[in-house]
């Protein structure tokens, strides 16, 4: 897999970057926390939101995707939809 650390250069002092991890695989890994929620976004993409880690995970096109950062669920879904749309 590959991990991308996404940040704006002028925002380094604002906090932790977004972390996008992509790897081959057609299933989500075992849950890392008991406090999780199933979410649906984009064109019927089903994912998993772990609020304690601020992590959104999903699978599509034969790959596992994980997006983690200090944003709320709504913002993370918006970013994930853009990623999914760009890959499709």
């Amino acid at each position: 897999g590959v991990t991308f650390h996404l940040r704006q250069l002028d925002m380094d002092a604002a906090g932790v970057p977004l972390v996008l991890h992509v790897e081959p695989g057609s299933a989500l890994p075992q849950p890392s926390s008991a406090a999780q929620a199933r979410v649906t976004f984009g064109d019927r993409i089903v994912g998993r939101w772990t609020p304690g880690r601020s992590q959104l995970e999903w699978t599509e096109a034969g790959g596992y995707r994980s997006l983690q950062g200090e944003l709320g669920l709504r913002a993370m879904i918006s970013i994930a939809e853009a990623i999914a749309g760009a890959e499709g």
Side-chain angles (χ1 to χ4, degrees), residues 72-87:
L73 176 58
R74 183 174 291 167
M76 296 292 270
I77 285 177
S78 178
I79 295 166
E81 287 174 334
I83 292 167
E87 292 178 338

Side-chain angles (χ1 to χ4, degrees), residues 30-71:
Q30 291 295 320
S32 60
S33 169
Q36 297 181 330
R38 182 179 171 154
V39 295
T40 303
F41 60 93
D43 188 23
R44 298 173 290 190
I45 295 173
V46 177
R48 179 169 62 203
W49 170 246
T50 306
R53 296 181 66 190
S54 296
Q55 183 180 36
L56 180 62
E57 302 169 277
W58 71 98
T59 59
E60 67 172 319
Y64 165 78
R65 315 290 188 256
S66 169
L67 185 61
Q68 190 170 5
E70 294 182 358
L71 300 174

